Amino acid sequence: MDAFYNLAQGFVTAATPANLLMCLLGVLLGQIIGVLPGIGPSAAIALLLPLTFGSSPTGAIIMFAGLYYGAQYGGTLTSVLINVPGESTSVMTAIDGHEMAKQGRAGVALGIAAIGSFIAGTLGTLGLMLLAPLLAFAALAFGPPEYFALVALGLTALAAVGGSVLKGLATGVAGLIIGSIGIDPQVGVPRFTFDQMWLFDGVDFIILAVALFGLGEVLATTGMPAVKPILNIGRVLPNRQEWRQARLAILRGTGVGFFIGILPAAGATIASFVGYIIEKKVAKDPSRFGKGAIEGVAGPESANNAASAGAMVPMFSLGVPGSNTTAVMLGALIMFGLRPGPEMFTTNSSLVWAVIASMYIGNLILLLMNLPLASLFARMLQIPYSWIYPPILAICLTGAIANANSVEDAWVMLGFGVLGWLMKRYDWPAAPMVLGLVLGPLFENTLRQSLTLSHGSGMIFLSRPISAGLLAAAVLAIAVPAITALILRQRQISLPGT
Amino acid sequence: MHIRFGQGEVILALLFAALGILWIATAFGMPFWQGFAPQSGFVPFWYGVILVGLSAAIVVNLVRQTEAAAEPPIGKPLIVLAALAGGILGLDLAGFGPSVFLLLLFLFAVVERLPVARSAAVAAATTAVLLLIFKAWLRIPLPTGPLGI
């Protein structure tokens, strides 16, 4: 019952006018960012960080969380109306959602997505509320070897999510390398600063996140052709038959999405894929899928929203993010002087519970906002990208300078922006690099502490059951996709012409 | 010789490998191990070794590919990058306000060929909003030029 008492306290904090405003602002910005191309929730949170300096961390994290799940709603609009997913989590929604729009049922697709997202987001938050404290309690027994193994799992799992495990691992290790610039956290001497004073503090995670997710994304998207949206929204509430078809899909999507979301780095994208596949498997007539089946929208949309709540479980309870955006949120928490992990539930209990409570409020705001305002948000899709990206660039530039009142940081952002553009161009994932930078000091400290404890023996990681289990999971996270890719390639070789 | 793999991606992988080599070389000049405890150079050295190994594996994979994916043009992104570099250079010379305004105007009116009057209006409005938020509200000392903004 502690969880419900704490939740009630959380509602008291979340319901203050200032925090309600932050929640509203977060979900509204998230909705807009989900609709606009060239900027995702990760970049948006990184850009908003300078604006939150000096404000209450609770309000800021409430806004960031709102932005995160609000963007999931926004991404649906572009999937349904122009067949271009605003976020990778909405890729599966586009398949049947856009077909529904072409049949004049865009409103119903958006309506069921909003209703499904609300149910999934609310139930997912309930799961977060019940599971995260339990996990945090278990993690209180963690020592340096367990933390090292946990960070290793977070990095490898996030690296393995993208198209290429090798590229994901390379960018993750490059992030760890960038994270080692500056003062050695254990002995206090400068390293890898190359006699440059401005490198003594290391590379700021905001600069890297803005450069990779903001500038890099803009550069990669500048040549994007305009797509004409379907603006005939029609009715948004599903009729009785449509509701009957969608309701179980929503519940299945919620369950599968939440549990995939809590796996470190598995994330909402995979959840939406699995949500769609399950719906197609259980359907009496799978041939309807791809031709405007409402379950093809309800399942993946519920799954990706439940996964957003699920991804907060490892972030709050273990300090390991479950998605790209929670990786940036983790950096934000560290910037506010908080240490995400098991202690969060004891040392910053009011913040955690206020954020959880705000997620119930935010999901309700999104439902109320999306049903009547779907056509208004749809009109935003008519704004040409040529009017959108220059202000995004100006915000990136201002955010970089404002972070430390330094023009040098703008040059650093430009340099990493070029890297981000090349990475985006060749499909190298950026999130592992940011996570490597954020978790680098913890990774190195716990490795060095563990080796000191064991008198230099690496067996300490294998002789302790939790760290051994986590490292085994890290190895599996790399091995499973690599072996799967190898098998698929072998099949292609043995079946020429297929 | 006709090269079929994506040259740009090979260059990117080689950049990552170069970063790894730089870290290995620099870590050699640092204390590595003392008594039972690893020192400053130990972990970065292994980061470098792993990054070189991963980059080499990526290069091998790319070279073994029989077909390269079509690469999108780089002209426009390079112009945008050059404009941004010009905007950063202008921060110390002209100040934040004029630099950002001119950067936006250039991107709207020259790069995107949008109507000049509307471009100027949107550029001015965006710059004003940024100045209001960061300079007036958050009191962040953005670079100033002869115009005081």
Side-chain angles (χ1 to χ4, degrees), chain A residues 51 167 180 184 191 222 386 389-390 405 411 425-426 428 443, chain B residues 8-9 23 40 44 47 71-72 74 76 88 104 112 133 138 140:
Chain A
L51 294 180
K167 291 176 187 176
S180 65
D184 179 336
R191 329 177 271 188
T222 43
S386 46
Y389 82 83
N405 306 331
W411 289 111
R425 189 177 168 85
Y426 299 115
W428 289 47
F443 186 75
Chain B
E9 190 166 10
W23 247 243
S40 298
Y47 287 163
E71 293 195 9
I74 59 166
K76 197 169 176 184
I88 299 172
L104 289 169
E112 297 299 334
I133 293 174
L138 295 173
I140 288 169

PDB file of all heavy atoms in Angstrom, chain A residues 51 167 180 184 191 222 386 389-390 405 411 425-426 428 443, chain B residues 8-9 23 40 44 47 71-72 74 76 88 104 112 133 138 140:
ATOM      1  N   LEU A  51      16.921  26.067 -20.461  1.00  0.00           N
ATOM      2  CA  LEU A  51      15.781  26.867 -19.989  1.00  0.00           C
ATOM      3  C   LEU A  51      15.340  26.471 -18.585  1.00  0.00           C
ATOM      4  O   LEU A  51      14.611  27.202 -17.936  1.00  0.00           O
ATOM      5  CB  LEU A  51      14.582  26.688 -20.940  1.00  0.00           C
ATOM      6  CG  LEU A  51      14.724  27.217 -22.351  1.00  0.00           C
ATOM      7  CD1 LEU A  51      13.467  26.951 -23.138  1.00  0.00           C
ATOM      8  CD2 LEU A  51      15.009  28.700 -22.329  1.00  0.00           C
ATOM      9  N   LYS A 167      28.054  -1.210 -35.363  1.00  0.00           N
ATOM     10  CA  LYS A 167      28.004   0.258 -35.382  1.00  0.00           C
ATOM     11  C   LYS A 167      27.535   0.792 -34.028  1.00  0.00           C
ATOM     12  O   LYS A 167      28.055   1.789 -33.526  1.00  0.00           O
ATOM     13  CB  LYS A 167      27.071   0.749 -36.488  1.00  0.00           C
ATOM     14  CG  LYS A 167      27.591   0.502 -37.893  1.00  0.00           C
ATOM     15  CD  LYS A 167      26.547   0.946 -38.909  1.00  0.00           C
ATOM     16  CE  LYS A 167      26.931   0.560 -40.318  1.00  0.00           C
ATOM     17  NZ  LYS A 167      25.865   0.907 -41.283  1.00  0.00           N
ATOM     18  N   SER A 180      35.792  10.133 -21.240  1.00  0.00           N
ATOM     19  CA  SER A 180      37.032  10.067 -20.450  1.00  0.00           C
ATOM     20  C   SER A 180      37.861  11.347 -20.565  1.00  0.00           C
ATOM     21  O   SER A 180      38.884  11.483 -19.910  1.00  0.00           O
ATOM     22  CB  SER A 180      37.865   8.840 -20.858  1.00  0.00           C
ATOM     23  OG  SER A 180      38.302   8.964 -22.193  1.00  0.00           O
ATOM     24  N   ASP A 184      40.363  12.940 -14.341  1.00  0.00           N
ATOM     25  CA  ASP A 184      40.181  11.543 -13.947  1.00  0.00           C
ATOM     26  C   ASP A 184      39.342  11.506 -12.661  1.00  0.00           C
ATOM     27  O   ASP A 184      39.742  12.093 -11.643  1.00  0.00           O
ATOM     28  CB  ASP A 184      41.563  10.914 -13.711  1.00  0.00           C
ATOM     29  CG  ASP A 184      41.475   9.455 -13.279  1.00  0.00           C
ATOM     30  OD1 ASP A 184      40.423   9.054 -12.739  1.00  0.00           O
ATOM     31  OD2 ASP A 184      42.453   8.717 -13.473  1.00  0.00           O
ATOM     32  N   ARG A 191      43.137  14.362 -18.081  1.00  0.00           N
ATOM     33  CA  ARG A 191      43.555  13.406 -19.122  1.00  0.00           C
ATOM     34  C   ARG A 191      42.904  13.794 -20.432  1.00  0.00           C
ATOM     35  O   ARG A 191      41.792  14.318 -20.448  1.00  0.00           O
ATOM     36  CB  ARG A 191      43.086  11.964 -18.854  1.00  0.00           C
ATOM     37  CG  ARG A 191      42.934  11.505 -17.501  1.00  0.00           C
ATOM     38  CD  ARG A 191      42.400  10.088 -17.468  1.00  0.00           C
ATOM     39  NE  ARG A 191      40.940  10.062 -17.447  1.00  0.00           N
ATOM     40  CZ  ARG A 191      40.235   8.968 -17.263  1.00  0.00           C
ATOM     41  NH1 ARG A 191      40.834   7.808 -17.145  1.00  0.00           N
ATOM     42  NH2 ARG A 191      38.926   9.014 -17.232  1.00  0.00           N
ATOM     43  N   THR A 222      17.685  18.190 -44.454  1.00  0.00           N
ATOM     44  CA  THR A 222      17.469  19.425 -45.231  1.00  0.00           C
ATOM     45  C   THR A 222      16.972  19.176 -46.660  1.00  0.00           C
ATOM     46  O   THR A 222      16.229  19.975 -47.191  1.00  0.00           O
ATOM     47  CB  THR A 222      18.750  20.294 -45.314  1.00  0.00           C
ATOM     48  OG1 THR A 222      19.839  19.425 -45.578  1.00  0.00           O
ATOM     49  CG2 THR A 222      18.977  21.090 -44.072  1.00  0.00           C
ATOM     50  N   SER A 386      11.286  23.917 -45.001  1.00  0.00           N
ATOM     51  CA  SER A 386      12.224  25.029 -45.198  1.00  0.00           C
ATOM     52  C   SER A 386      11.969  26.171 -44.207  1.00  0.00           C
ATOM     53  O   SER A 386      12.854  26.969 -43.927  1.00  0.00           O
ATOM     54  CB  SER A 386      12.134  25.544 -46.634  1.00  0.00           C
ATOM     55  OG  SER A 386      10.791  25.689 -47.008  1.00  0.00           O
ATOM     56  N   TYR A 389      13.436  24.251 -40.284  1.00  0.00           N
ATOM     57  CA  TYR A 389      14.772  23.896 -39.801  1.00  0.00           C
ATOM     58  C   TYR A 389      15.665  25.089 -39.431  1.00  0.00           C
ATOM     59  O   TYR A 389      16.459  24.966 -38.485  1.00  0.00           O
ATOM     60  CB  TYR A 389      15.474  22.927 -40.771  1.00  0.00           C
ATOM     61  CG  TYR A 389      16.149  23.558 -41.964  1.00  0.00           C
ATOM     62  CD1 TYR A 389      17.433  24.084 -41.861  1.00  0.00           C
ATOM     63  CD2 TYR A 389      15.531  23.611 -43.207  1.00  0.00           C
ATOM     64  CE1 TYR A 389      18.061  24.657 -42.959  1.00  0.00           C
ATOM     65  CE2 TYR A 389      16.147  24.177 -44.294  1.00  0.00           C
ATOM     66  CZ  TYR A 389      17.413  24.707 -44.160  1.00  0.00           C
ATOM     67  OH  TYR A 389      18.027  25.276 -45.236  1.00  0.00           O
ATOM     68  N   PRO A 390      15.567  26.276 -40.118  1.00  0.00           N
ATOM     69  CA  PRO A 390      16.452  27.365 -39.656  1.00  0.00           C
ATOM     70  C   PRO A 390      16.211  27.766 -38.188  1.00  0.00           C
ATOM     71  O   PRO A 390      17.185  27.896 -37.429  1.00  0.00           O
ATOM     72  CB  PRO A 390      16.152  28.506 -40.638  1.00  0.00           C
ATOM     73  CG  PRO A 390      15.714  27.800 -41.887  1.00  0.00           C
ATOM     74  CD  PRO A 390      14.892  26.653 -41.389  1.00  0.00           C
ATOM     75  N   ASN A 405      27.803  29.679 -21.266  1.00  0.00           N
ATOM     76  CA  ASN A 405      28.142  31.030 -21.748  1.00  0.00           C
ATOM     77  C   ASN A 405      29.442  31.006 -22.545  1.00  0.00           C
ATOM     78  O   ASN A 405      30.328  31.846 -22.336  1.00  0.00           O
ATOM     79  CB  ASN A 405      28.294  32.016 -20.584  1.00  0.00           C
ATOM     80  CG  ASN A 405      27.080  32.020 -19.704  1.00  0.00           C
ATOM     81  OD1 ASN A 405      25.978  31.756 -20.175  1.00  0.00           O
ATOM     82  ND2 ASN A 405      27.269  32.287 -18.427  1.00  0.00           N
ATOM     83  N   TRP A 411      31.381  25.845 -31.304  1.00  0.00           N
ATOM     84  CA  TRP A 411      32.269  25.151 -32.254  1.00  0.00           C
ATOM     85  C   TRP A 411      32.272  23.644 -32.000  1.00  0.00           C
ATOM     86  O   TRP A 411      32.298  22.849 -32.934  1.00  0.00           O
ATOM     87  CB  TRP A 411      33.694  25.717 -32.166  1.00  0.00           C
ATOM     88  CG  TRP A 411      33.807  27.101 -32.730  1.00  0.00           C
ATOM     89  CD1 TRP A 411      34.044  28.249 -32.046  1.00  0.00           C
ATOM     90  CD2 TRP A 411      33.643  27.500 -34.109  1.00  0.00           C
ATOM     91  NE1 TRP A 411      34.047  29.328 -32.893  1.00  0.00           N
ATOM     92  CE2 TRP A 411      33.809  28.892 -34.173  1.00  0.00           C
ATOM     93  CE3 TRP A 411      33.372  26.807 -35.294  1.00  0.00           C
ATOM     94  CZ2 TRP A 411      33.721  29.622 -35.360  1.00  0.00           C
ATOM     95  CZ3 TRP A 411      33.273  27.516 -36.477  1.00  0.00           C
ATOM     96  CH2 TRP A 411      33.455  28.904 -36.507  1.00  0.00           C
ATOM     97  N   ARG A 425      23.521   9.754 -41.751  1.00  0.00           N
ATOM     98  CA  ARG A 425      23.587   9.453 -43.187  1.00  0.00           C
ATOM     99  C   ARG A 425      23.872   7.974 -43.430  1.00  0.00           C
ATOM    100  O   ARG A 425      23.334   7.352 -44.331  1.00  0.00           O
ATOM    101  CB  ARG A 425      24.711  10.319 -43.758  1.00  0.00           C
ATOM    102  CG  ARG A 425      24.851  10.347 -45.233  1.00  0.00           C
ATOM    103  CD  ARG A 425      25.971  11.338 -45.573  1.00  0.00           C
ATOM    104  NE  ARG A 425      26.367  11.220 -46.947  1.00  0.00           N
ATOM    105  CZ  ARG A 425      25.769  11.841 -47.949  1.00  0.00           C
ATOM    106  NH1 ARG A 425      24.779  12.647 -47.707  1.00  0.00           N
ATOM    107  NH2 ARG A 425      26.173  11.668 -49.183  1.00  0.00           N
ATOM    108  N   TYR A 426      24.749   7.394 -42.578  1.00  0.00           N
ATOM    109  CA  TYR A 426      25.133   5.996 -42.777  1.00  0.00           C
ATOM    110  C   TYR A 426      24.492   5.059 -41.745  1.00  0.00           C
ATOM    111  O   TYR A 426      24.951   3.934 -41.564  1.00  0.00           O
ATOM    112  CB  TYR A 426      26.663   5.868 -42.757  1.00  0.00           C
ATOM    113  CG  TYR A 426      27.298   6.668 -43.871  1.00  0.00           C
ATOM    114  CD1 TYR A 426      28.117   7.754 -43.595  1.00  0.00           C
ATOM    115  CD2 TYR A 426      27.047   6.348 -45.199  1.00  0.00           C
ATOM    116  CE1 TYR A 426      28.675   8.497 -44.616  1.00  0.00           C
ATOM    117  CE2 TYR A 426      27.601   7.092 -46.226  1.00  0.00           C
ATOM    118  CZ  TYR A 426      28.410   8.166 -45.934  1.00  0.00           C
ATOM    119  OH  TYR A 426      28.950   8.897 -46.952  1.00  0.00           O
ATOM    120  N   TRP A 428      24.367   5.077 -38.392  1.00  0.00           N
ATOM    121  CA  TRP A 428      25.088   4.736 -37.163  1.00  0.00           C
ATOM    122  C   TRP A 428      24.280   5.333 -36.011  1.00  0.00           C
ATOM    123  O   TRP A 428      24.038   6.542 -36.003  1.00  0.00           O
ATOM    124  CB  TRP A 428      26.500   5.346 -37.166  1.00  0.00           C
ATOM    125  CG  TRP A 428      27.462   4.717 -38.128  1.00  0.00           C
ATOM    126  CD1 TRP A 428      27.235   4.414 -39.438  1.00  0.00           C
ATOM    127  CD2 TRP A 428      28.816   4.334 -37.867  1.00  0.00           C
ATOM    128  NE1 TRP A 428      28.354   3.872 -40.008  1.00  0.00           N
ATOM    129  CE2 TRP A 428      29.341   3.810 -39.071  1.00  0.00           C
ATOM    130  CE3 TRP A 428      29.642   4.384 -36.743  1.00  0.00           C
ATOM    131  CZ2 TRP A 428      30.649   3.340 -39.177  1.00  0.00           C
ATOM    132  CZ3 TRP A 428      30.943   3.918 -36.851  1.00  0.00           C
ATOM    133  CH2 TRP A 428      31.434   3.401 -38.039  1.00  0.00           C
ATOM    134  N   PHE A 443      30.803   3.881 -15.281  1.00  0.00           N
ATOM    135  CA  PHE A 443      31.350   2.643 -15.852  1.00  0.00           C
ATOM    136  C   PHE A 443      32.815   2.485 -15.426  1.00  0.00           C
ATOM    137  O   PHE A 443      33.221   1.435 -14.917  1.00  0.00           O
ATOM    138  CB  PHE A 443      31.239   2.732 -17.381  1.00  0.00           C
ATOM    139  CG  PHE A 443      31.618   1.482 -18.110  1.00  0.00           C
ATOM    140  CD1 PHE A 443      30.784   0.388 -18.135  1.00  0.00           C
ATOM    141  CD2 PHE A 443      32.817   1.404 -18.801  1.00  0.00           C
ATOM    142  CE1 PHE A 443      31.118  -0.762 -18.832  1.00  0.00           C
ATOM    143  CE2 PHE A 443      33.171   0.264 -19.507  1.00  0.00           C
ATOM    144  CZ  PHE A 443      32.324  -0.814 -19.523  1.00  0.00           C
TER     145      PHE A 443
ATOM    146  N   GLY B   8      32.166   7.012 -48.242  1.00  0.00           N
ATOM    147  CA  GLY B   8      31.927   7.926 -47.123  1.00  0.00           C
ATOM    148  C   GLY B   8      31.848   7.170 -45.809  1.00  0.00           C
ATOM    149  O   GLY B   8      32.406   7.598 -44.792  1.00  0.00           O
ATOM    150  N   GLU B   9      31.181   6.034 -45.819  1.00  0.00           N
ATOM    151  CA  GLU B   9      31.021   5.271 -44.576  1.00  0.00           C
ATOM    152  C   GLU B   9      32.356   4.663 -44.142  1.00  0.00           C
ATOM    153  O   GLU B   9      32.630   4.559 -42.945  1.00  0.00           O
ATOM    154  CB  GLU B   9      29.966   4.174 -44.761  1.00  0.00           C
ATOM    155  CG  GLU B   9      29.611   3.548 -43.428  1.00  0.00           C
ATOM    156  CD  GLU B   9      28.365   2.697 -43.458  1.00  0.00           C
ATOM    157  OE1 GLU B   9      27.862   2.422 -44.552  1.00  0.00           O
ATOM    158  OE2 GLU B   9      27.924   2.290 -42.371  1.00  0.00           O
ATOM    159  N   TRP B  23      43.640   7.430 -28.624  1.00  0.00           N
ATOM    160  CA  TRP B  23      43.441   7.115 -27.206  1.00  0.00           C
ATOM    161  C   TRP B  23      44.466   6.087 -26.719  1.00  0.00           C
ATOM    162  O   TRP B  23      44.999   6.211 -25.630  1.00  0.00           O
ATOM    163  CB  TRP B  23      42.002   6.624 -26.968  1.00  0.00           C
ATOM    164  CG  TRP B  23      41.229   7.606 -26.132  1.00  0.00           C
ATOM    165  CD1 TRP B  23      40.709   7.388 -24.903  1.00  0.00           C
ATOM    166  CD2 TRP B  23      40.908   8.969 -26.470  1.00  0.00           C
ATOM    167  NE1 TRP B  23      40.087   8.525 -24.444  1.00  0.00           N
ATOM    168  CE2 TRP B  23      40.197   9.508 -25.378  1.00  0.00           C
ATOM    169  CE3 TRP B  23      41.154   9.782 -27.551  1.00  0.00           C
ATOM    170  CZ2 TRP B  23      39.727  10.819 -25.361  1.00  0.00           C
ATOM    171  CZ3 TRP B  23      40.701  11.093 -27.539  1.00  0.00           C
ATOM    172  CH2 TRP B  23      39.998  11.595 -26.459  1.00  0.00           C
ATOM    173  N   SER B  40      44.979   5.812 -14.314  1.00  0.00           N
ATOM    174  CA  SER B  40      44.291   6.668 -15.308  1.00  0.00           C
ATOM    175  C   SER B  40      44.294   6.141 -16.744  1.00  0.00           C
ATOM    176  O   SER B  40      43.344   6.340 -17.488  1.00  0.00           O
ATOM    177  CB  SER B  40      44.928   8.055 -15.320  1.00  0.00           C
ATOM    178  OG  SER B  40      44.775   8.657 -14.092  1.00  0.00           O
ATOM    179  N   PRO B  44      40.943   3.883 -20.501  1.00  0.00           N
ATOM    180  CA  PRO B  44      40.959   4.496 -21.845  1.00  0.00           C
ATOM    181  C   PRO B  44      41.761   3.680 -22.861  1.00  0.00           C
ATOM    182  O   PRO B  44      41.406   3.636 -24.035  1.00  0.00           O
ATOM    183  CB  PRO B  44      41.626   5.856 -21.602  1.00  0.00           C
ATOM    184  CG  PRO B  44      41.343   6.165 -20.181  1.00  0.00           C
ATOM    185  CD  PRO B  44      41.384   4.852 -19.475  1.00  0.00           C
ATOM    186  N   TYR B  47      39.461   1.082 -24.048  1.00  0.00           N
ATOM    187  CA  TYR B  47      38.442   1.705 -24.916  1.00  0.00           C
ATOM    188  C   TYR B  47      39.007   1.833 -26.331  1.00  0.00           C
ATOM    189  O   TYR B  47      38.335   1.537 -27.323  1.00  0.00           O
ATOM    190  CB  TYR B  47      38.096   3.123 -24.442  1.00  0.00           C
ATOM    191  CG  TYR B  47      37.256   3.254 -23.183  1.00  0.00           C
ATOM    192  CD1 TYR B  47      37.206   4.465 -22.498  1.00  0.00           C
ATOM    193  CD2 TYR B  47      36.502   2.198 -22.700  1.00  0.00           C
ATOM    194  CE1 TYR B  47      36.435   4.630 -21.362  1.00  0.00           C
ATOM    195  CE2 TYR B  47      35.734   2.349 -21.564  1.00  0.00           C
ATOM    196  CZ  TYR B  47      35.707   3.562 -20.891  1.00  0.00           C
ATOM    197  OH  TYR B  47      34.944   3.725 -19.773  1.00  0.00           O
ATOM    198  N   GLU B  71      23.803   7.292 -52.104  1.00  0.00           N
ATOM    199  CA  GLU B  71      24.006   8.291 -51.060  1.00  0.00           C
ATOM    200  C   GLU B  71      23.271   9.579 -51.419  1.00  0.00           C
ATOM    201  O   GLU B  71      23.354  10.044 -52.557  1.00  0.00           O
ATOM    202  CB  GLU B  71      25.496   8.573 -50.884  1.00  0.00           C
ATOM    203  CG  GLU B  71      26.241   7.366 -50.336  1.00  0.00           C
ATOM    204  CD  GLU B  71      27.627   7.721 -49.815  1.00  0.00           C
ATOM    205  OE1 GLU B  71      27.949   8.915 -49.725  1.00  0.00           O
ATOM    206  OE2 GLU B  71      28.362   6.788 -49.507  1.00  0.00           O
ATOM    207  N   PRO B  72      22.552  10.170 -50.455  1.00  0.00           N
ATOM    208  CA  PRO B  72      21.871  11.445 -50.747  1.00  0.00           C
ATOM    209  C   PRO B  72      22.898  12.542 -51.018  1.00  0.00           C
ATOM    210  O   PRO B  72      24.043  12.456 -50.555  1.00  0.00           O
ATOM    211  CB  PRO B  72      21.082  11.728 -49.467  1.00  0.00           C
ATOM    212  CG  PRO B  72      21.623  10.836 -48.439  1.00  0.00           C
ATOM    213  CD  PRO B  72      22.317   9.712 -49.091  1.00  0.00           C
ATOM    214  N   ILE B  74      25.165  15.937 -50.920  1.00  0.00           N
ATOM    215  CA  ILE B  74      25.724  16.595 -49.728  1.00  0.00           C
ATOM    216  C   ILE B  74      25.788  18.119 -49.890  1.00  0.00           C
ATOM    217  O   ILE B  74      26.172  18.819 -48.956  1.00  0.00           O
ATOM    218  CB  ILE B  74      27.134  16.067 -49.385  1.00  0.00           C
ATOM    219  CG1 ILE B  74      28.109  16.281 -50.552  1.00  0.00           C
ATOM    220  CG2 ILE B  74      27.090  14.614 -48.984  1.00  0.00           C
ATOM    221  CD1 ILE B  74      29.567  16.098 -50.147  1.00  0.00           C
ATOM    222  N   LYS B  76      23.530  20.706 -50.169  1.00  0.00           N
ATOM    223  CA  LYS B  76      22.746  21.581 -49.291  1.00  0.00           C
ATOM    224  C   LYS B  76      23.198  21.500 -47.820  1.00  0.00           C
ATOM    225  O   LYS B  76      23.387  22.540 -47.184  1.00  0.00           O
ATOM    226  CB  LYS B  76      21.265  21.241 -49.419  1.00  0.00           C
ATOM    227  CG  LYS B  76      20.358  22.316 -48.895  1.00  0.00           C
ATOM    228  CD  LYS B  76      18.945  22.010 -49.319  1.00  0.00           C
ATOM    229  CE  LYS B  76      17.958  22.968 -48.781  1.00  0.00           C
ATOM    230  NZ  LYS B  76      16.591  22.591 -49.144  1.00  0.00           N
ATOM    231  N   ILE B  88      28.521  31.419 -36.252  1.00  0.00           N
ATOM    232  CA  ILE B  88      29.305  31.300 -35.003  1.00  0.00           C
ATOM    233  C   ILE B  88      30.465  32.305 -35.029  1.00  0.00           C
ATOM    234  O   ILE B  88      30.748  32.957 -34.021  1.00  0.00           O
ATOM    235  CB  ILE B  88      29.819  29.851 -34.808  1.00  0.00           C
ATOM    236  CG1 ILE B  88      28.644  28.870 -34.704  1.00  0.00           C
ATOM    237  CG2 ILE B  88      30.669  29.750 -33.547  1.00  0.00           C
ATOM    238  CD1 ILE B  88      29.037  27.400 -34.706  1.00  0.00           C
ATOM    239  N   LEU B 104      19.643  33.272 -40.064  1.00  0.00           N
ATOM    240  CA  LEU B 104      18.283  32.845 -40.417  1.00  0.00           C
ATOM    241  C   LEU B 104      17.853  33.431 -41.767  1.00  0.00           C
ATOM    242  O   LEU B 104      17.288  32.726 -42.611  1.00  0.00           O
ATOM    243  CB  LEU B 104      17.295  33.272 -39.323  1.00  0.00           C
ATOM    244  CG  LEU B 104      17.408  32.517 -38.000  1.00  0.00           C
ATOM    245  CD1 LEU B 104      16.576  33.185 -36.915  1.00  0.00           C
ATOM    246  CD2 LEU B 104      16.943  31.075 -38.177  1.00  0.00           C
ATOM    247  N   GLU B 112      16.922  28.601 -49.141  1.00  0.00           N
ATOM    248  CA  GLU B 112      15.591  28.038 -49.435  1.00  0.00           C
ATOM    249  C   GLU B 112      14.794  28.862 -50.450  1.00  0.00           C
ATOM    250  O   GLU B 112      13.692  28.464 -50.833  1.00  0.00           O
ATOM    251  CB  GLU B 112      14.785  27.897 -48.131  1.00  0.00           C
ATOM    252  CG  GLU B 112      15.396  26.927 -47.128  1.00  0.00           C
ATOM    253  CD  GLU B 112      15.497  25.505 -47.655  1.00  0.00           C
ATOM    254  OE1 GLU B 112      14.693  25.136 -48.542  1.00  0.00           O
ATOM    255  OE2 GLU B 112      16.401  24.767 -47.206  1.00  0.00           O
ATOM    256  N   ILE B 133      13.898  35.164 -24.324  1.00  0.00           N
ATOM    257  CA  ILE B 133      13.955  34.010 -23.403  1.00  0.00           C
ATOM    258  C   ILE B 133      15.313  33.953 -22.712  1.00  0.00           C
ATOM    259  O   ILE B 133      15.402  33.901 -21.480  1.00  0.00           O
ATOM    260  CB  ILE B 133      13.678  32.689 -24.161  1.00  0.00           C
ATOM    261  CG1 ILE B 133      12.234  32.645 -24.658  1.00  0.00           C
ATOM    262  CG2 ILE B 133      13.945  31.489 -23.250  1.00  0.00           C
ATOM    263  CD1 ILE B 133      11.914  31.452 -25.545  1.00  0.00           C
ATOM    264  N   LEU B 138      16.106  34.555 -18.786  1.00  0.00           N
ATOM    265  CA  LEU B 138      17.063  33.700 -18.058  1.00  0.00           C
ATOM    266  C   LEU B 138      18.347  34.438 -17.678  1.00  0.00           C
ATOM    267  O   LEU B 138      19.173  33.908 -16.941  1.00  0.00           O
ATOM    268  CB  LEU B 138      17.404  32.464 -18.903  1.00  0.00           C
ATOM    269  CG  LEU B 138      16.248  31.497 -19.175  1.00  0.00           C
ATOM    270  CD1 LEU B 138      16.657  30.421 -20.161  1.00  0.00           C
ATOM    271  CD2 LEU B 138      15.787  30.849 -17.871  1.00  0.00           C
ATOM    272  N   ILE B 140      21.024  35.126 -19.348  1.00  0.00           N
ATOM    273  CA  ILE B 140      22.264  34.485 -19.799  1.00  0.00           C
ATOM    274  C   ILE B 140      23.039  35.516 -20.630  1.00  0.00           C
ATOM    275  O   ILE B 140      22.486  36.102 -21.565  1.00  0.00           O
ATOM    276  CB  ILE B 140      21.950  33.213 -20.617  1.00  0.00           C
ATOM    277  CG1 ILE B 140      21.435  32.138 -19.656  1.00  0.00           C
ATOM    278  CG2 ILE B 140      23.174  32.714 -21.377  1.00  0.00           C
ATOM    279  CD1 ILE B 140      20.836  30.943 -20.311  1.00  0.00           C
TER     280      ILE B 140
END
